[in-house]
Amino acid sequence: MKTLIIHAEADKVQIIKDFLNSIKVKFETKTTSTEESPYDPEFVAKIRKSEEDYKNGKVHRIPLNDIWK
């Protein structure tokens, strides 16, 4: 038995699955998405909230010259 890894766009996946089924080839489907992220979901939520706050102007800017005071 051999393993074949196919990287396909979402719109082509069903076509490939149908073809493999038609020639009676067993296969597995794995999805890479944010659900399989190596990051802690709480951390990701904090980052996304921070990005949303930035978009809404909820930021506090410190001038570069004031950082070293």
Side-chain angles (χ1 to χ4, degrees), residues 23-37:
I23 60 172
K24 297 182 174 128
V25 173
K26 295 179 183 177
F27 61 91
E28 295 177 23
T29 304
K30 292 187 179 181
T31 304
T32 54
S33 67
T34 55
E35 294 172 6
E36 296 178 12
S37 174

Side-chain angles (χ1 to χ4, degrees), residues 8-26:
E9 290 82 24
D11 61 330
K12 300 208 176 18
V13 172
Q14 191 58 50
I15 296 167
I16 295 167
K17 285 180 175 183
D18 291 343
F19 172 72
L20 293 174
N21 283 326
S22 72
I23 60 172
K24 297 182 174 128
V25 173
K26 295 179 183 177

Side-chain angles (χ1 to χ4, degrees), residues 16-68:
I16 295 167
K17 285 180 175 183
D18 291 343
F19 172 72
L20 293 174
N21 283 326
S22 72
I23 60 172
K24 297 182 174 128
V25 173
K26 295 179 183 177
F27 61 91
E28 295 177 23
T29 304
K30 292 187 179 181
T31 304
T32 54
S33 67
T34 55
E35 294 172 6
E36 296 178 12
S37 174
Y39 300 104
D40 178 16
E42 291 180 25
F43 173 73
V44 173
K46 287 180 184 179
I47 297 300
R48 290 205 173 126
K49 181 174 181 337
S50 176
E51 290 172 341
E52 192 64 31
D53 287 346
Y54 177 77
K55 287 179 187 176
N56 294 330
K58 296 179 182 178
V59 295
H60 180 73
R61 297 182 189 267
I62 301 173
L64 187 58
N65 291 333
D66 292 345
I67 290 177
W68 303 110

